[in-house]
């Protein structure tokens, strides 16, 4: 017979289990399936950090092959398995690493993580809104981003390996499963992953545009928006107009791969056998891809423009010089970015007159870019400059944008671009002007708004050390590549040891590889500083940088 004590014990146990269940549900809906824009921003941030280090690690693997082609890599076999053959990197795996590095850094880091982190955090706070226009859509966007990344990650483990057609996925290499080992199941997963990523990005863009237009606080007109919000607003418009074009291209590519259509294929022979494809054209895919591909450059760097502008103004203790000109220049770049796509295709056989038209528009887009640089420098002129870590990363971003932008004038000229196309000159150019500049803008934002996200300060000494190691390291990696490109060294080659002309640059390739390894090692300083500061950093003041934007008027929760 059940006693009173037994009954009370059961009731207490039930209440404990119920309380534990409630805590689990609270945790799930507070930190996992959250609709709060600040939590979603942190989810994107942690996801972006994972992909940034994965993408950088992949680049080190193929840089080891390039820098030290005779190095015995058997020590990597426990990790890479059959991709190490007789102590050397498998050539097909090398091409997969190049493809995945470009895809991860372009889309999952500089586009998805950058937009998702800084846009979600700052847009509602800087316009005085409670949250994004649709919290559910915001949550769904992140989980589609997560699903896309998961599928891309799983493609490493299929039997035929990850995609190896380059991050641009040009057909016929991407359209024919028989073309190479990396054109098999890994390529199919690449397409599926990118389609889901595009859906996520379009959802995010709709949310950003709706929030900026409809949810500004009373009295905050468009003429008074912070430049960071303007940058995300124009980025969202760019994404909404250009990513669906890539979606259609990938859909047609999937049909060619799986259903025997001929959108991008014609007169293909494999091992002497004529394949039944007619009337397609791989050039059509290039047009569709670069109609997204060139706006994608600005989708990645527009947020860095806005963040850098606000950080420079804050730490120079001056309003940004030429606010209207800054907004107008971003708008002009957005419009012109849709008119320059074929300057990536000067060697595709296009009509020379058409090439001269795209060359002209490519030169014109340098004008609003120069306006931005002039305004940043003028804002610094006679300012009361405070060299915080975020300010250093903002200045680093400007430096990379100037350096990489100047080389952009060379590749905009069709006569010169034909000579340096697909050489290391192009690699150096876009890694400086877009990759490094955008990444420094991302880090600038992380350092500047870390106190707002976590209520604590990052360690100054470690932050400065991280900046200088990264800033110097980036120039040591990419500046010598200009010389390699002007000497004709082609990109994507597995090894140059069989070419007497190119083998002369082996020492310089080794130098670049060592610089890349040291720069990558420096990022662990950032990781240590970041995660340690979340829990043990000095509690932050309400407005540690003395900024004038709205987000600093709200309290930050200290972990």
């Amino acid at each position: 017979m059940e006693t009173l004590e037994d009954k009370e014990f059961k009731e207490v146990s039930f209440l404990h289990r119920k309380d534990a269940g409630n805590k689990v549900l609270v945790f799930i809906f507070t930190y996992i399936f959250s609709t709060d824009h600040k939590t979603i921003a942190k989810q994107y941030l942690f996801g972006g950090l994972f992909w940034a280090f994965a993408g950088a690690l992949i680049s080190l693997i193929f840089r080891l092959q390039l820098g030290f082609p005779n190095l015995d890599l058997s020590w990597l076999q426990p990790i890479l398995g059959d991709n190490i053959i007789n102590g050397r990197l498998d050539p097909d795996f090398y091409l997969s690493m190049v493809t995945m590095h470009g895809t991860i850094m372009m889309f999952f880091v500089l586009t998805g993580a950058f937009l998702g982190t800084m846009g979600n955090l700052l847009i509602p706070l800087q316009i005085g809104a409670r949250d994004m226009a649709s919290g559910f859509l915001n949550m769904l966007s992140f989980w589609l981003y997560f699903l896309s990344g998961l599928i891309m990650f799983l493609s490493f483990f299929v039997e035929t390996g990850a995609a190896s057609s380059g991050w641009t996925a040009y057909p016929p290499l991407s359209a024919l499963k028989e073309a190479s080992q990396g054109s098999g199941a890994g390529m199919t997963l690449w397409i599926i992953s990118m389609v889901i990523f595009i859906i996520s990005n379009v959802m995010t863009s709709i949310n950003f545009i709706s929030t900026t237009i409809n949810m500004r606080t009373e009295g905050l007109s468009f003429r008074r928006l912070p430049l960071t919000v303007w940058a995300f607003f124009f980025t969202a418009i760019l994404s909404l107009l250009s990513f669906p074009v890539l979606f259609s291209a990938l859909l047609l590519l999937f049909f060619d791969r799986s259903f025997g259509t001929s959108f991008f294929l014609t007169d293909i022979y494999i091992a002497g056998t004529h394949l039944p494809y007619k009337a397609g054209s791989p050039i059509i895919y290039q047009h569709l891809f670069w109609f997204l591909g060139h706006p994608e450059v600005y989708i990645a760097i527009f947020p860095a423009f806005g963040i850098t502008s606000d950080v420079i103004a804050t730490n120079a203790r001056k309003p940004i010089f030429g606010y209207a000109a800054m907004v107008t220049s971003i708008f002009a770049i957005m419009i012109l970015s849709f008119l320059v796509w074929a300057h990536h295709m000067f060697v595709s056989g296009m009509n020379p007159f058409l090439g001269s038209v795209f060359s002209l528009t490519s030169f014109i887009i340098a004008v609003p870019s120069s306006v931005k640089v002039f305004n940043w420098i003028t804002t610094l002129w006679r300012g009361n400059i405070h060299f915080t870590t975020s300010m250093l990363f903002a200045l680093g971003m400007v430096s990379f944008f100037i350096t990489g932008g100047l080389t952009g004038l060379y590749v905009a000229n069709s006569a010169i671009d034909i000579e340096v196309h697909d050489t290391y000159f192009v690699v150096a150019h876009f890694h400086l002007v877009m990759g490094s500049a955008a990444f420094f803008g991302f880090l600038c934002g992380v350092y500047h708004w870390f106190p707002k996200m976590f209520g604590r300060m990052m360690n100054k000494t470690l932050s400065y050390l991280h900046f200088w190691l990264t800033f110097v390291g980036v120039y040591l990696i990419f500046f010598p590549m200009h010389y390699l490109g002007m000497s004709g060294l082609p990109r994507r080659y597995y090894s140059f040891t069989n070419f007497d002309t190119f083998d002369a640059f082996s020492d310089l390739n080794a130098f670049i590889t060592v610089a890349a390894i040291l720069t990558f090692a420096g990022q662990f300083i950032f990781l240590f500083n970041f995660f340690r500061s979340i829990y043990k950093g000095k509690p932050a003041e309400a407005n540690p940088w003395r900024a004038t934007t709205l987000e600093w008027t709200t309290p930050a929760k200290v972990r």
Side-chain angles (χ1 to χ4, degrees), residues 63 399-400 403 424 428 431-432 436 440 467-484 507-520:
R63 276 278 11 141
S399 173
F400 292 142
T403 308
Y424 270 87
H431 273 89
L432 282 177
S436 300
F440 263 54
F467 167 77
W468 286 111
L469 285 174
T470 307
F471 180 74
V472 174
V474 166
Y475 270 123
L476 290 178
I477 295 168
F478 298 115
F479 207 81
M481 287 187 186
H482 292 92
Y483 175 70
L484 293 177
D507 290 343
L508 192 52
N509 248 327
F511 173 83
I512 292 171
T513 299
V514 172
I517 292 171
L518 294 176
T519 305
F520 177 75

Side-chain angles (χ1 to χ4, degrees), residues 53-299:
F53 275 83
L57 186 60
I58 288 170
S59 70
L60 287 189
I61 293 174
F62 64 74
R63 276 278 11 141
L64 280 173
Q65 169 62 38
L66 286 171
F68 307 99
N70 297 318
L71 181 67
D72 186 357
L73 298 178
S74 299
W75 55 277
L76 283 174
Q77 198 152 14
I79 302 172
L80 301 181
D82 294 339
N83 295 307
I84 301 294
I85 302 175
N86 297 324
R88 302 290 184 269
L89 206 62
D90 177 49
D92 285 326
F93 182 70
Y94 171 85
L95 293 175
S96 292
M97 292 296 96
V98 173
T99 300
M100 298 304 286
H101 167 73
T103 302
I104 288 168
M105 300 307 284
M106 276 297 297
F107 296 110
F108 290 97
V109 179
L110 297 178
T111 302
F114 199 174
L115 281 177
T117 300
M118 294 302 163
N120 273 302
L121 175 70
L122 296 176
I123 290 177
L125 292 177
Q126 289 197 337
I127 68 173
R130 287 184 177 272
D131 209 317
M132 300 296 289
S134 173
F136 176 77
L137 193 66
N138 204 14
M139 177 197 71
L140 189 59
S141 299
F142 169 76
W143 284 107
L144 285 175
Y145 168 80
F146 179 86
L147 177 61
S148 172
L150 180 63
I151 293 173
M152 189 68 71
F153 184 75
L154 291 176
S155 71
F156 281 103
F157 303 99
V158 297
E159 186 178 357
T160 54
S164 63
S165 59
W167 74 275
T168 55
Y170 279 179
L173 191 58
S174 62
L176 294 172
K177 297 179 181 179
E178 310 94 328
S180 72
Q181 186 170 317
S183 300
M187 189 67 229
T188 301
L189 290 175
W190 189 95
I191 294 173
I192 294 171
S193 171
M194 286 304 304
V195 165
I196 296 173
F197 176 86
I198 291 169
I199 295 171
S200 167
N201 186 270
V202 168
M203 287 180 175
T204 299
S205 301
I206 292 171
N207 229 350
F208 283 7
I209 295 169
S210 301
T211 304
T212 305
I213 293 176
N214 298 318
M215 301 188 69
R216 287 170 287 117
T217 191
E218 186 177 353
L220 184 62
S221 66
F222 273 100
R223 293 184 179 182
R224 300 176 67 185
L225 282 179
L227 287 172
T228 301
V229 177
W230 271 117
F232 281 112
F233 181 67
F234 286 132
T235 302
I237 295 174
L238 262 180
S239 298
L240 193 60
L241 295 178
S242 60
F243 264 110
V245 178
L246 179 61
F247 181 93
S248 64
L250 294 179
L251 195 62
L252 298 180
L253 182 63
F254 185 79
F255 287 166
D256 278 3
R257 287 177 56 82
S258 304
F259 301 112
T261 58
S262 301
F263 292 106
F264 305 131
L265 296 171
T266 183
D267 296 327
I268 301 292
Y269 287 83
I270 291 184
T273 302
H274 182 261
L275 300 184
Y277 296 105
K278 295 180 180 179
S281 173
I283 301 299
I284 293 175
Y285 176 87
Q286 291 189 30
H287 281 289
L288 292 173
F289 179 88
W290 287 114
F291 192 81
L292 166 276
H294 202 84
E296 166 64 16
V297 171
Y298 297 102
I299 289 169

